[in-house]
Amino acid sequence: MRQFLKYVLATIVGLLLFSFIGFLLLIGLSAALSSSSDQKAEVKENSVLKIDLDKPIEERSSENPFNGFGPISTSGDAIGLIELKKALKEAKEDDNIKGIYLHTESPSAGWASVEEVRNALIDFKQSKKFVYAYAETMNEKGYYIASIADKIYLNPAGDLEWNGLDAELSFYKGTLDKLGIKPEIFRVGEFKSAVEPFIREDMSEPNKRQVTSFINSINDHMLVRVAQSRGLRVDSLKRYADKLTIQKPADALRTKLVTNVGYQDELESVIRKQLGVEEKKKINYVSLGKYQSSESTDSKSEGSGSNRIAVIVASGDIHTGKGEENSIGSETIVEEIRKARMDDKVKAIVLRVNSGGGSALASDVMYREVQLARKAKPVIGSMSDYAASGGYYMLMGCDKIVAQPNTITGSIGVFSLLFNTETFFKDKLGVTYDRVKSNENADFPAVTHEMTPFQKQTLQRATERIYNDFTSKAAAGRKLPVDSLRAIAGGRVWTGTQGKAIGLVDQLGGLDDAIKLAAQSAKLKEGDYRLKYQPRKKPFFEQLMSSFGGDEETKIQAQLGELAPYVKYLKKLKTMEGVQMRMPFEMTIR
């Protein structure tokens, strides 16, 4: 026994010692990587900025601190939209950068983010530097970005998808029926379709109408912009999609969607001639990541002086409490807005929102803080891919709202959701429940048995009360009669273009336009202010530690593949009980 205890004690000591040494090595590696990140990369003369957009594009970068360090590096790091646009602005003025080599086949981004990237590339082209694109395959999003390029090369064995946009929704009524789980739904608005996946097997007619409307709005905007860039006719582009004209690369060349059918080495020969580089010599490519760490992308691009414009970035589902990298916690955003409001150096606030909604309570808490900030200084709302339902609630108290033409917004509606699990527990697991009560409705609301008609009516009235509050505040913020606001509410989803036409949006444009509007409202001239992005990005060591745990969604994706979206959706159900302000968020536009 003593011998056994001795081995156990030795094992424990060894593990503790190993952990301590590992922790010291981790700190050392962290310091080394931090030191290396402080050393700016050098951009050589006659360089080409190489941008690979076949990655997730998020509001701000979430770079893996181990990226580029052997087997623990990853290639799946998200591209920060804000950082990408800043790099393009710097490259436009950088004499060492002669042009851009663009790789954009199938970007993982919303249409408004794609619009911002495309507009930033158009701005870069004002420098008279070249933008060349190459792809083996391209979908519509990838082509929409590439369509601004001077030359578009498509691989001879490749493919260009040109068949229009498609929106696909998932429905789970059959799953709930099989499990014996009964959803209890309370909603306001003909178009509040976020609950349809639980009670239907297909889209309702009102939902089909609204999805058809905004899908066509996004598609029409894309066709007009592509036609302008390529010197084509919109009706021709529509006909190519309807008739599936683009069957092979030669078809894309014949219809002038691309400029060349050729291999990567052929495009590189063209780039060498453009640069005056001999055929046998390498092209000085500089990757986006390397360029962002170079001297040319320092903080000087954010302006000078003591005046600041706070850009508060809020992205993800809305919930109470602290927010994470890809979620909006009301406590976190309220704190950031309050800091900007109390900071005398901050002359204006831009609230950048990318969210399809979430908790009604959390949305209202953040709305209140926007109202307080608005009394102290200008507050401008900027919509990204989505600013719908609870996401719109956050912004409707701003002085002005700016959205991209293809932003998804509106969805001004409310629903409450509970799941009656009595049959599931009884028939599937053999679990039953019984109860005693001090009062008639002490068990309200209930999830382990059927609620009474009175209890259901109470929940419906509560949902309607919150809807009335939502629409009243939205009408006041937009300076519209309540009846007029409710006529365009009802949970209906609109694009930014449609939203501007009906008064939900003030101006079409991106984040830069919102910042300019904030500066004008604060009577600041360009160059007289700096941008202050909030919340702060995680320090390097925090990124380092979190990278070991890995992103939970990434793990689910890696383990389950095509089944991953359904598992992630079911995980979201845990956060959806109670009163919600959400759009039909499980929708893929492709």
Side-chain angles (χ1 to χ4, degrees):
M1 186 66 179
R2 291 178 60 188
Q3 192 74 6
F4 172 75
L5 291 176
K6 182 175 72 173
Y7 283 128
V8 170
L9 181 61
T11 301
I12 293 173
V13 171
L15 288 172
L16 290 174
L17 184 60
F18 177 79
S19 299
F20 179 70
I21 294 173
F23 181 70
L24 292 178
L25 289 173
L26 183 63
I27 293 176
L29 179 59
S30 173
L33 292 178
S34 295
S35 175
S36 65
S37 66
D38 290 336
Q39 297 175 3
K40 303 295 184 181
E42 180 186 355
V43 178
K44 299 178 182 179
E45 293 182 358
N46 217 25
S47 292
V48 175
L49 180 59
K50 195 170 189 178
I51 302 178
D52 182 1
L53 294 177
D54 284 343
K55 296 179 180 181
I57 300 176
E58 299 175 354
E59 291 299 307
R60 302 176 73 182
S61 63
S62 54
E63 184 179 357
N64 182 347
F66 285 117
N67 191 25
F69 285 85
I72 55 177
S73 68
T74 71
S75 59
D77 299 324
I79 297 173
L81 178 62
I82 290 172
E83 289 81 5
L84 170 59
K85 289 170 61 181
K86 179 183 173 184
L88 289 172
K89 189 177 293 185
E90 291 292 330
K92 177 183 175 182
E93 307 296 333
D94 190 343
D95 292 336
N96 289 332
I97 297 295
K98 302 303 181 184
I100 289 177
Y101 179 109
L102 190 62
H103 185 262
T104 171
E105 297 190 342
S106 180
S108 179
W111 280 97
S113 293
V114 166
E115 188 80 16
E116 296 236 12
V117 173
R118 190 177 188 274
N119 289 341
L121 287 165
I122 290 173
D123 179 69
F124 172 85
K125 288 182 65 176
Q126 291 181 3
S127 65
K128 306 301 180 184
K129 300 176 183 180
F130 67 82
V131 177
Y132 295 158
Y134 171 82
E136 294 179 351
T137 62
M138 271 192 286
N139 64 9
E140 276 91 348
K141 281 183 183 177
Y143 180 75
Y144 186 48
I145 296 175
S147 65
I148 60 90
D150 303 294
K151 292 184 183 295
I152 306 173
Y153 270 67
L154 183 63
N155 187 287
D159 176 62
L160 171 60
E161 178 185 292
W162 192 259
N163 57 358
L165 304 186
D166 163 61
E168 183 174 276
L169 283 70
S170 300
F171 295 84
Y172 301 93
K173 180 181 182 301
T175 302
L176 296 177
D177 288 345
K178 291 178 184 296
L179 294 174
I181 296 175
K182 180 183 177 182
E184 298 286 0
I185 307 293
F186 310 90
R187 59 175 169 170
V188 183
E190 180 185 17
F191 294 94
K192 199 60 193 175
S193 51
V195 298
E196 287 190 359
F198 313 118
I199 59 176
R200 296 181 60 92
E201 295 179 347
D202 56 7
M203 287 187 281
S204 64
E205 283 306 312
N207 194 18
K208 281 187 177 180
R209 287 204 310 272
Q210 72 165 344
V211 174
T212 300
S213 176
F214 69 70
I215 281 292
N216 284 330
S217 178
I218 293 172
N219 190 55
D220 289 346
H221 174 76
M222 177 189 71
L223 294 177
V224 169
R225 299 296 304 277
V226 168
Q228 291 171 347
S229 296
R230 305 314 312 166
L232 300 172
R233 293 170 55 91
V234 171
D235 58 351
S236 297
L237 293 172
K238 286 183 178 180
R239 186 174 68 254
Y240 299 156
D242 289 337
K243 302 298 183 182
L244 295 180
T245 301
I246 314 303
Q247 293 289 320
K248 53 187 181 297
D251 297 328
L253 180 63
R254 176 176 51 82
T255 55
K256 299 183 179 179
L257 287 175
V258 302
T259 60
N260 299 81
V261 171
Y263 293 96
Q264 183 176 0
D265 63 277
E266 293 178 290
L267 174 57
E268 290 192 335
S269 293
V270 173
I271 294 176
R272 285 190 179 89
K273 290 180 181 178
Q274 184 78 28
L275 299 174
V277 174
E278 294 178 10
E279 189 64 30
K280 294 182 179 180
K281 288 191 175 181
K282 289 184 178 180
I283 299 170
N284 289 331
Y285 285 126
V286 53
S287 69
L288 177 63
K290 182 179 178 182
Y291 190 70
Q292 287 173 329
S293 66
S294 70
E295 291 282 2
S296 59
T297 57
D298 61 22
S299 60
K300 67 183 180 183
S301 66
E302 297 186 0
S304 58
S306 59
N307 298 323
R308 297 175 185 172
I309 293 177
V311 181
I312 299 172
V313 180
S315 180
D317 281 355
I318 297 171
H319 59 85
T320 58
K322 294 284 188 181
E324 299 296 333
E325 287 288 331
N326 292 303
S327 71
I328 301 174
S330 58
E331 187 177 333
T332 298
I333 298 302
V334 163
E335 181 182 349
E336 297 299 332
I337 297 174
R338 186 175 297 141
K339 283 193 300 187
R341 170 167 63 91
M342 302 298 290
D343 188 345
D344 291 335
K345 291 183 179 179
V346 173
K347 306 303 181 184
I349 299 171
V350 174
L351 182 56
R352 172 74 166 182
V353 172
N354 190 2
S355 174
S359 164
L361 174 60
S363 301
D364 189 67
V365 168
M366 291 182 287
Y367 165 82
R368 168 63 178 171
E369 197 62 35
V370 170
Q371 290 291 89
L372 293 175
R374 185 179 174 182
K375 294 177 181 178
K377 55 196 68 175
V379 182
I380 306 299
S382 174
M383 295 182 172
S384 184
D385 297 318
Y386 301 94
S389 206
Y392 188 80
Y393 200 115
M394 292 176 64
L395 294 175
M396 65 190 184
C398 294
D399 295 294
K400 298 288 183 182
I401 297 176
V402 180
Q404 289 286 12
N406 42 23
T407 292
I408 301 297
T409 187
S411 191
I412 300 174
V414 180
F415 71 91
S416 301
L417 175 65
L418 291 172
F419 291 96
N420 181 352
T421 58
E422 182 178 17
T423 302
F424 169 73
F425 279 111
K426 181 180 179 180
D427 294 350
K428 307 299 181 183
L429 302 179
V431 178
T432 58
Y433 297 89
D434 200 1
R435 64 200 56 81
V436 295
K437 300 182 287 186
S438 63
N439 296 82
E440 187 175 352
N441 293 296
D443 59 343
F444 170 76
V447 295
T448 57
H449 65 91
E450 186 81 11
M451 287 188 289
T452 67
F454 172 75
Q455 290 173 339
K456 292 180 180 180
Q457 290 172 9
T458 301
L459 269 177
Q460 181 62 36
R461 285 195 298 269
T463 304
E464 291 171 358
R465 185 176 65 252
I466 293 174
Y467 176 74
N468 291 335
D469 186 48
F470 189 172
T471 52
S472 297
K473 289 177 178 177
R478 303 308 305 155
K479 297 180 174 59
L480 293 171
V482 174
D483 290 343
S484 299
L485 190 286
R486 287 177 182 164
I488 57 176
R492 180 158 184 171
V493 175
W494 308 89
T495 62
T497 298
Q498 295 169 330
K500 185 176 184 300
I502 60 179
L504 295 180
V505 171
D506 294 293
Q507 179 180 321
L508 295 180
L511 178 57
D512 291 343
D513 298 291
I515 291 170
K516 289 177 183 177
L517 185 56
Q520 292 170 6
S521 301
K523 295 180 172 56
L524 298 174
K525 295 180 180 179
E526 188 174 354
D528 290 343
Y529 59 87
R530 297 184 63 189
L531 300 181
K532 180 184 179 185
Y533 290 96
Q534 300 173 219
R536 70 176 181 88
K537 293 173 67 174
K538 282 185 179 181
F540 179 81
F541 191 72
E542 286 185 36
Q543 293 185 51
L544 186 65
M545 296 301 292
S546 64
S547 69
F548 281 103
D551 179 72
E552 185 177 4
E553 290 199 359
T554 301
K555 288 181 177 180
I556 293 174
Q557 184 69 48
Q559 294 170 1
L560 300 178
E562 293 182 357
L563 294 176
Y566 304 100
V567 175
K568 287 187 282 187
Y569 184 81
L570 292 173
K571 285 171 66 65
K572 281 188 178 182
L573 293 182
K574 295 190 297 183
T575 67
M576 287 180 62
E577 291 195 349
V579 182
Q580 298 287 308
M581 295 175 175
R582 292 180 184 266
M583 62 166 285
F585 56 88
E586 290 302 321
M587 175 176 60
T588 303
I589 301 176
R590 60 193 182 192

